[in-house]
Structures are given as structure tokens and as C-alpha cells.
Amino acid sequence: MIEWAILVGVAAATLRVAAPLILASLGETVVEKAGLLNLGLQGAMLVGAFSGFMGAFFTGSLWLGLVCCVIGGTITTLLYGVLVINLNLDQVVSGLAINLLAGGLTLYFTRALFTGGVAPYLQELFGPMQIPLLGSIPILGEIIFSHTGFVYFGLICVPLISILLTKTTFGLRLRSIGEDPVIASYLGIDVVKMRYVALFIEGILAGIAGGLLTISMFNTFDTRIVAARGFVAVSIVILGRWNPLGVLAGSLLFGFTEVLSLRIGILFPEISSASTNQLFALLPYLVALIALIVGGRRVRGPASLGKRVGRE
Amino acid sequence: MDNRPSDPKKEDYAIFLKEITKTFPNGTVANFGITLGILKGEVHAILGENGAGKTTLLRMISGILKPDSGEIFIDGKSAKMRDPMDASRLGIGMVHQHFTLIPEFTVRENVALVLAESGWLDLKKVDAKIVEVSEKMGIEIDPEAKIENLPVGKRQLVEILRLLCRDVKILLLDEPTSVLTPIEVDSFFRIIRDLKSSGKTIVLVTHKMKEALKISDRVTVLRGGRVIRTVPTTEADEALLASLVVEGLAAPPVVKRGTPGDPILSIDSIIVKDDRGRTAVDGLSLVVRAGEIVGIAGVAGNGQKELVEAISGLRRVESGIITLSSQDITNKSTRFIIEKGLSYIPEDRMHRGVVLTMGIHDNLALKCIERPPMSKNWVIDRRSMINYAERLISDFSIKASDPCMSVENLSGGNIQKLIIARELSNGGTFLIAEQPTAGLDIKASEVVHQRLIDLRSRGAGILLVSSDLDEIIKLSDRICVMFGGKIVGEFFPENLDLERLSRAMLGAE
Ligand SMILES: Nc1ncnc2c1ncn2[C@@H]1O[C@H](COP(=O)(O)OP(=O)(O)OP(=O)(O)O)[C@@H](O)[C@H]1O
Ligand SMILES: [Mg+2]
């Protein structure tokens, strides 16, 4: 018999693990709605994690670290913008190039700046913020209202991005660019400006998603800290059908299966062994695959997603 | 008579073009030394054969393309437009030859795209505007309908409606009537007259002389990228305009009716649903025989689109049977149906007819690529693809700079010629021709008509679906009127009672 406390713990951990995915995939949703497939999301998260750590470490202020991760994230996505918008390069290649660049630079600076090439530990971290009243609700309070500010921010962003995309003129125009940038430009929509705005939004979200890893989750930086979260976030966007609510669900699904695979020993000691644990690490991807097959296949992505504009 | 106004600053001109030249990167000179003044408050028709440079000219006025040399004056002031936004600030709006509606969006969203100010989307305001303008236009439009589910005639109306929702002073209309039925054209012309009397300036590109004569104040004819002449409409007639548009136009031959043989296509009480699940084709039966052209007349949206899609395997048939050359093709794959002899000239040519980003040679070989001489042992023979393309380009006088150029750089009419060339050359025994001459100039239309008749004389069956009633009457051996998903009347072109035919089209027979 599994105890309540364990279940509550799993639920709370799911949300915590999902937070960076929620933020990053919401950002990616915005740019994909504008027809840009930014695989450089991974790189933007890495730069966010790195600059967040650097800011916090050298100034001694977590808040300045937060500012730095936002700046790092936006610089990265805007650089991607220069490649695909101004230079009209292939989107996939540009995204992968950004990832290589981000990986190389962060590795170089970690080696150059810190003795032994290992980043030191931060003195403090952004800790959980107890929300008065709501936090003291039994069970629910523990699951939802016992987290760091990043988790709340991610959750608030879901309706915000949804409203931005569906209820504002900006969102409508953005979506029209994702369907057909040439037609959008005929209609007097400033495709270049709109795409940069979208990338700016993604940069903020991806920067924070990366930064929270260093200044709130783990208190150091390592070039492998992002793991595959950037790429997972890109697939969550597809899984969530370019819909912020779907993206939230997809992130939670990934978060849950990840927590499950980590805690399998505690939850089901009977079936836990070295080899089954390895298998359980596959769970998130298996579940995603099934969800993709079962979930609404009729929803199409933005028609011009990933395409280069070749017309005059 | 002075046709070439010389003083560009004169306040009378809404648009004044001075020595405009445009050459495309591939070397095509689309416009050369064009000097032309459009008076304030006039309806100015622009005629010219396919590839004459009409669209290019309008695109420069609307800021999409930049002239290589020359100057554009709007309201007497030199206008250097960098993009369509600049043009729209000057009060210029355009209805493009190819739709600029987002197919995934609803009518409402498409209108909101150009109408809404930044900030919150005020859909109520957009709806109110749609209702207001559609009432003025005398049409019925469901703001919630998705564009991709609308027939092209309806889409064209939405395109016009969207322009009218904005506050524009100068309207550039690139072949807005080519897919409209006569009834729709009439109400469209009423709107044009209203606009004119409220002081708007209208430039109208068309291939139909009758329309130009009926609605315009002056007509300019382009040929080979140059202005041939501008004439006041009162001094023009159809013969003059036709002779200006194309040199040496022979009088159209008299069309002889066919001698129908055995049935090729038989449709037995089929029911087909539209995208929203409503019955669009309602127990319809129809036979097309070998050596016969059957024309389908009707107002767009009465099930023609769904009927054609059902025959060509693009849409499920709920019940009933379709046979082609005595073989059951009901709900078979399109590939299978093509192998049984179907050729298809689709009305939605940009989406269904061609792959825009591929070359002419690729597009022409699409339907025979798996057979020699186009390919042997799964290896494509590029040389024979190019030879084939060169042959069809000259056979169908497609205006192209080379056989491998990307189809998106062809003019609208030349894309249509390409599709027709492919579909008429693949040896099919049954052809569906939807709006086959929409967007073609008079000479090209004449050629296509002749080709359709030749095909019929060789024993093929043809189902002709067109909004152009003249075309249907000219070519068909039998005319079926479609209304509400049914065939409500059958007519023969001899001793045709036009009055009854029109009533049938409106469902009043
Ligand atoms: N982007 C482009 N690149 C190269 N050539 C082009 C391009 N756009 C148009 N052309 C060529 O310029 C010429 C004029 O084209 P345009 O579209 O203006 O003709 P049009 O008069 O509108 O013809 P239609 O009646 O068929 O629409 C054509 O020969 C066409 O192939
Ligand atoms: Mg044109």
C-alpha cells in the first residue's frame, strides 16, 4: 500500500520538474506560431543557465542572476533570429548551430574562469515561497502552493500566452505569419518585427527555464545541466498541439514520468531492479509517443513552420 | 487625342506612373517604360494577354514589388513605397489574383487581420463590419466559416469584402471576377458603381472585354510589358479591344456538337457530405457519355465542389455508386481513378494543380513520372522531362523563360495553361474541367476551348464545371443545372431558354 504522503510528494515533484519544460515549451509555442522552428531552444536554455549562474555567482545576488539569465536567453534567440530572418538561412541548421555555439562557449568559459574547470557552488538558492492561506490547504496546498516562484510563474504563463495568442490582434497576426508569411506581408503585417518580438518572448522564457536550473534547482553550473530539456520542450509543443493548455499537459506528463522513473524504487520496491529502472527511464518517451498517436491527429501545425521564405 | 498625360503633378491623377520598368532576377522584363495616369474617381480597366505584365504593375503600385526605374505618384505626390504598409497608409488596397486569405482561418479572423487595431481583438466590431459590408454587397457570408471549406467563388467574395471593410481610396482589383457567376458579377458591379460614386478610384484587371466595356470609364491595354493604348470606353468596342490585346486574332470557329456514344462516367444516386457534415450532394445521378461535354451550371456552393471531389476520390461517398469506364470507382484511391482514365483541371489551381516551388518540367511530369520515358528502372530521366516540358510549353504557348523555372514565377494565366497542358496530354478518357479558362486571355481561352472540343471529338467524356455561363453554353452538348446538391434541370444548347436556365440556377424551377 502506497502512502498518501508519497503520492503527494510525487505530485509536487512533478510540478517542480515540469516547470522548466512549461516555460521553455510555451516560448517555443509562440515562435512556432510565427512559423519558426527553433531547435536552438536547447542552446538558449543552456546560455540562460550559464548566465544566470554567472550573474548570481559574481554579484552575489540571485536577483541579478535572474536578470542575467533573461538577457542570456534573449541574446541567444535573437541571434537565431538574425540567422533565419535577416540571413534567411535554413531554420533547422541554424538552430543546431546555435546549440553547438552555446555548448562550446559555455564550456570554454567554465574551463577558463574556474579552477579545475568546475564551477563552484552558489551560497544560496531561490527557495520555495509559501503562499499564505492557499499554502495551508491540506494536500492541494502541498502539491501546488509549496514551490519556488518559478513554478508559479510557469503556471501563470499558461493562460497569459493562451490569451496572447487567441485574444489579441498581435496573436492573430502572429498566427497568420505562421500560416503564410508572404500573404501576411501582403496584408501589411511587419513579418520581421513580429518574428523578432516572438523570439524575444521565447528568449525570456527559455532564459528563465535554463536559469532556474542553476539558481533554484541545482546550485552550480555544468554544461550538461540542461540535459535534453530543450529538445524535449520542442516535442512537447508538438505533443501539446501548439496549444498552451496542451503544452502544460505535455510538460506535466513528461515531469510525472520522469519523477516516476526516479522514484520507482520507493514506489514499487518489488519490481525495482537495475535493469527495470533503466527501462523506466524510457517511460517519458514511450508515453509521449503513445500520446502523439492517440491524441488529436487532426490538428495541423502552422503551415509554414520551418520553411524558408524563397519568394521575392 | 492625347493618351499619354504629361504632367505628373496634376492633382487629377490618383495614380500616375512615369516610365516604370521592372525586370525580374531571371531576366524577364515584365514592365517596360510604362507611363499611365489613373484619374481620381474613375474605373480604369487594364486588359492584356497572359504574361503581359498586369499583375506586376499592380504589385508595384501596392508596394509589394519595387520598380527598377521610374516613379509612382499618388495624389500628385511622389510615393516611394517600400512595402505594402506604405501603400496602405496612402489608402491603396488590392485584391490579388491569387487568394491572400489564410485557409486555416475563419472569415472573421481573416477580416480581423487587416481591420483590427492592436490590443485586444474586438470580434464583435469585426462581425458588425462584416454584416454591414456583406449587406451592402448583397451576399450571405457566415463569419465563422473556415476559408478552406468555401468554394473559390465564395472565397473571392470574401476577398473583396475584406478590402471593402477597410477604408481605402484606391482599389486595385486583379481579375476579381474570373471565378464569379454572372449573377455575382452583376452585384459586384453594383458595388463598384457605388464605390465610384463615393469618390473612390478603381483599377480593374480583367480578361473579359464585356466586363471592361460595361463598367469602366477608360481602358488601357498592355502587351509585352508596354502600354499599347489607353482609350475612353465610350470610344471602344469588343472588336477594337480584342485586336489591341492580341494581334491577329482569328474569328472563333463555329462549335459543332458532339455525337455521344456509350456512357463513360455514371453516377447513381450518390450522397456526399461537406466538411461540416451537412449533405452537399443529395442523391444525385448523372451520366457522361463518350464524345460528350456535359456542362454543370449553378451558383457556387450548391454541391459542385463536393461532386467533383467525390468523383476524383478526394471525398468520401456516403452512399451510391460511381463508375468510370464500367469500373466501380466509388471511394477508391485517387491514384486508382487516375489509372482508370481520369484527368482533372481543378479550380483551386494554386493548391491542387501545381507544386509551386517546383520547376515547370517537374510539374508537367508529375502524373507520368513512374513510366518511361520519364523514368526507367526507378531512375528519373531528366533529359526527357525537359524535352517533354519544352514540347508542351510551345504546344500550349506557355510564357516561360526556361523549362525548369519555378512555377511560382509564372503569371497566373500561364500556371493555368500549364495545368491544362498536363491534363490534356496524359491520354485520359474522362476529364473534369473546373473553370478551365478562369484567368486566361481571349486567345488562350479560345485555344483551350478548341482543345476541349478536339478531346471530345476523339471520344473522351468531359464534365465541365464553370461559373462562366457563356462558356458552358458554347461548349456543352448538354447542360445540367445544380442546385441544393441536386440536378434540377437539364437543358440543351440549341433553342436554349436562358430565362428558365437562370431560374433553375436560383432554385426557382
Ligand atoms: N517573381 C517573378 N520572377 C520571374 N518572372 C516573373 C515573376 N513574376 C512574374 N514574372 C514574369 O513576368 C511576366 C509578367 O507577369 P504578370 O504576372 O505581370 O502577368 P499578367 O499580365 O498578370 O498575366 P496573367 O493574365 O496571366 O495573370 C510573365 O512573363 C511572368 O512569367
Ligand atoms: Mg496576373
Side-chain angles (χ1 to χ4, degrees):
Chain A
M1 191 55 208
I2 305 163
E3 281 171 46
W4 263 113
I6 296 179
L7 284 185
V8 170
V10 167
T14 295
L15 210 52
R16 184 155 25 94
V17 172
L21 297 177
I22 294 173
L23 286 166
S25 46
L26 282 178
E28 181 72 11
T29 304
V30 175
V31 296
E32 290 199 9
K33 280 288 187 187
L36 298 176
L37 177 69
N38 186 5
L39 296 182
L41 177 62
Q42 173 81 14
M45 286 180 76
L46 184 59
V47 173
F50 177 74
S51 48
F53 171 79
M54 286 302 190
F57 181 75
F58 285 108
T59 66
S61 155
L62 286 175
W63 288 100
L64 284 177
L66 182 63
V67 172
C68 287
C69 72
V70 169
I71 294 174
T74 47
I75 287 178
T76 318
T77 53
L78 294 183
L79 182 64
Y80 168 82
V82 172
L83 299 183
V84 299
I85 300 171
N86 297 80
L87 303 178
N88 199 17
L89 300 176
D90 183 86
Q91 293 191 11
V92 171
V93 174
S94 304
L96 296 178
I98 292 282
N99 291 343
L100 289 177
L101 187 70
L105 284 180
T106 50
L107 182 64
Y108 171 78
F109 282 114
T110 330
R111 295 235 169 115
L113 292 173
F114 304 112
T115 39
V118 179
Y121 287 98
L122 291 173
Q123 297 302 320
E124 48 169 357
L125 282 177
F126 274 118
M129 274 163 59
Q130 280 297 340
I131 303 219
L133 287 175
L134 289 177
S136 50
I137 303 172
I139 300 177
L140 209 62
E142 235 173 298
I143 296 176
I144 302 178
F145 299 107
S146 62
H147 292 283
T148 62
F150 295 104
V151 174
Y152 306 135
F153 178 63
L155 290 177
I156 289 169
C157 277
V158 174
L160 284 185
I161 297 289
S162 174
I163 288 169
L164 179 76
L165 289 176
T166 56
K167 298 271 185 270
T168 67
T169 307
F170 174 85
L172 183 72
R173 297 211 168 124
L174 199 74
R175 286 187 284 133
S176 78
I177 293 173
E179 293 297 327
D180 194 327
V182 175
I183 287 182
S185 73
Y186 285 1
L187 300 180
I189 294 169
D190 194 336
V191 176
V192 170
K193 191 171 107 193
M194 297 279 289
R195 283 188 157 171
Y196 269 116
V197 173
L199 284 169
F200 188 73
I201 295 173
E202 181 184 42
I204 296 173
L205 295 176
I208 295 177
L212 80 84
L213 298 175
T214 49
I215 58 181
S216 156
M217 215 179 258
F218 317 104
N219 55 352
T220 185
F221 176 79
D222 181 281
T223 48
R224 290 161 303 177
I225 195 165
V226 178
R229 286 187 181 85
F231 289 115
V232 168
V234 173
S235 40
I236 286 175
V237 175
I238 303 169
L239 187 64
R241 306 288 155 177
W242 297 270
N243 174 346
L245 268 182
V247 159
L248 173 67
S251 304
L252 290 176
L253 184 67
F254 262 96
F256 175 66
T257 44
E258 193 178 327
V259 170
L260 212 58
S261 65
L262 290 175
R263 300 199 178 180
I264 198 74
I266 309 171
L267 290 171
F268 308 104
E270 318 78 66
I271 60 163
S272 170
S273 73
S275 55
T276 48
N277 288 0
Q278 291 283 330
L279 268 180
F280 270 97
L282 277 176
L283 202 63
Y285 307 96
L286 205 66
V287 172
L289 204 62
I290 293 169
L292 263 181
I293 295 167
V294 178
R297 245 180 306 180
R298 283 193 326 179
V299 184
R300 264 176 281 166
S304 80
L305 184 61
K307 285 191 193 139
R308 199 169 2 175
V309 189
R311 283 175 265 181
E312 197 194 19
Chain B
M1 187 176 55
D2 183 18
N3 289 324
R4 293 169 67 92
S6 52
D7 182 12
K9 304 273 179 201
K10 250 166 70 184
E11 288 296 310
D12 302 341
Y13 291 114
I15 308 169
F16 190 88
L17 307 169
K18 193 175 153 201
E19 295 291 323
I20 298 281
T21 293
K22 175 76 192 176
T23 309
F24 284 108
N26 65 0
T28 309
V29 182
N31 284 164
F32 187 81
I34 291 198
T35 296
L36 173 65
I38 311 284
L39 292 164
K40 265 187 200 158
E42 79 168 329
V43 177
H44 197 113
I46 295 188
L47 296 179
E49 55 187 339
N50 294 129
K54 307 176 295 292
T55 298
T56 307
L57 194 66
L58 294 202
R59 284 183 164 187
M60 284 189 285
I61 304 173
S62 64
I64 290 164
L65 293 174
K66 282 178 259 326
D68 297 331
S69 65
E71 216 175 345
I72 299 174
F73 297 85
I74 303 294
D75 290 331
K77 284 187 281 296
S78 174
K80 288 241 167 352
M81 290 171 284
R82 281 158 302 148
D83 50 40
M85 274 166 286
D86 284 342
S88 114
R89 263 177 234 120
L90 290 169
I92 300 171
M94 177 158 170
V95 166
H96 292 261
Q97 186 171 2
H98 302 301
F99 297 119
T100 56
L101 300 165
I102 306 280
E104 267 288 299
F105 283 13
T106 60
V107 171
R108 173 194 291 144
E109 286 173 319
N110 269 289
V111 174
L113 217 42
V114 296
L115 203 60
E117 293 121 36
S118 44
W120 298 108
L121 262 183
D122 189 350
L123 291 178
K124 285 224 180 65
K125 214 164 121 190
V126 174
D127 276 354
K129 194 81 196 173
I130 293 176
V131 169
E132 181 199 319
V133 176
S134 61
E135 269 170 15
K136 221 192 296 175
M137 288 173 71
I139 54 170
E140 243 177 78
I141 297 268
D142 173 10
E144 286 187 41
K146 230 186 193 185
I147 298 296
E148 63 181 356
N149 298 342
L150 295 178
V152 290
K154 263 272 164 42
R155 286 189 221 179
Q156 185 68 67
L157 293 173
V158 175
E159 191 92 40
I160 295 164
L161 175 134
R162 184 172 65 177
L163 183 62
L164 298 183
C165 285
R166 279 166 56 195
D167 189 26
V168 286
K169 284 187 300 184
I170 300 173
L171 292 88
L172 310 174
L173 309 173
D174 197 353
E175 302 190 24
T177 56
S178 59
V179 293
L180 299 184
T181 56
I183 308 164
E184 289 165 328
V185 171
D186 280 345
S187 60
F188 174 62
F189 280 179
R190 260 200 311 283
I191 302 161
I192 297 278
R193 288 196 194 96
D194 283 352
L195 289 167
K196 187 186 151 187
S197 57
S198 63
K200 314 260 189 217
T201 306
I202 293 142
V203 181
L204 175 79
V205 172
T206 176
H207 287 296
K208 295 176 185 155
M209 312 289 155
K210 282 202 189 86
E211 294 184 357
L213 290 169
K214 197 163 164 194
I215 192 76
S216 71
D217 299 308
R218 292 195 299 154
V219 185
T220 293
V221 177
L222 297 185
R223 196 195 301 155
R226 295 163 202 256
V227 175
I228 294 295
R229 219 170 118 188
T230 299
V231 283
T233 309
T234 45
E235 294 169 23
D237 60 25
E238 227 172 301
L240 172 71
L241 292 182
S243 71
L244 289 175
V245 170
V246 276
E247 280 169 309
L249 184 74
V254 183
V255 177
K256 280 213 284 293
R257 302 294 163 191
T259 41
D262 296 332
I264 279 206
L265 177 87
S266 326
I267 299 175
D268 189 13
S269 37
I270 56 163
I271 292 180
V272 184
K273 296 208 159 112
D274 67 11
D275 294 291
R276 296 169 146 204
R278 292 176 305 205
T279 303
V281 178
D282 194 3
L284 178 143
S285 298
L286 177 70
V287 171
V288 180
R289 284 182 284 267
E292 181 186 42
I293 300 180
V294 174
I296 298 277
V299 177
N302 278 295
Q304 299 97 320
K305 176 172 176 260
E306 287 77 10
L307 171 65
V308 167
E309 286 174 349
I311 300 172
S312 51
L314 296 168
R315 187 175 286 276
R316 240 189 80 77
V317 178
E318 306 293 329
S319 71
I321 292 175
I322 308 176
T323 57
L324 181 60
S325 305
S326 331
Q327 307 213 35
D328 186 356
I329 57 160
T330 325
N331 292 328
K332 290 283 176 6
S333 74
T334 303
R335 179 80 257 173
F336 178 86
I337 301 172
I338 289 173
E339 275 161 16
K340 295 290 162 278
L342 173 79
S343 298
Y344 178 30
I345 300 169
E347 62 173 356
D348 189 359
R349 62 172 96 127
M350 301 302 262
H351 289 110
R352 290 215 172 138
V354 285
V355 185
L356 273 179
T357 48
M358 282 166 70
I360 296 178
H361 63 305
D362 296 320
N363 273 284
L364 284 173
L366 270 183
K367 286 198 173 166
C368 48
I369 192 74
E370 78 288 355
R371 288 194 298 268
M374 296 308 159
S375 62
K376 285 185 202 84
N377 310 323
W378 296 293
V379 180
I380 287 172
D381 182 352
R382 225 178 108 80
R383 192 62 249 162
S384 49
M385 275 169 78
I386 292 174
N387 287 342
Y388 184 62
E390 275 168 349
R391 208 181 78 221
L392 291 190
I393 285 173
S394 84
D395 274 9
F396 287 79
S397 20
I398 299 170
K399 197 162 174 249
S401 50
D402 79 275
C404 301
M405 81 186 263
S406 172
V407 167
E408 63 190 339
N409 292 337
L410 286 177
S411 83
N414 282 299
I415 295 180
Q416 179 72 355
K417 287 189 202 170
L418 183 154
I419 297 168
I420 290 171
R422 183 184 63 213
E423 296 304 316
L424 294 190
S425 309
N426 68 356
T429 51
F430 174 69
L431 170 73
I432 302 176
E434 267 182 308
Q435 319 267 21
T437 57
L440 291 187
D441 63 43
I442 31 174
K443 196 163 153 192
S445 303
E446 207 43 68
V447 172
V448 168
H449 285 169
Q450 202 49 53
R451 299 247 181 197
L452 292 179
I453 289 163
D454 290 348
L455 186 70
R456 178 203 62 192
S457 306
R458 288 203 303 273
I462 300 178
L463 187 67
L464 172 69
V465 185
S466 176
S467 57
D468 184 346
L469 207 49
D470 292 339
E471 176 170 79
I472 291 207
I473 295 169
K474 176 177 165 193
L475 297 179
S476 306
D477 300 306
R478 185 153 56 90
I479 302 169
C480 296
V481 176
M482 221 173 145
F483 182 83
K486 292 190 171 81
I487 290 185
V488 293
E490 198 179 59
F491 298 82
F492 293 89
E494 291 82 26
N495 321 317
L496 185 69
D497 184 351
L498 255 180
E499 189 74 12
R500 262 191 65 213
L501 181 73
S502 309
R503 276 207 310 276
M505 281 171 71
L506 293 172
E509 247 316 272

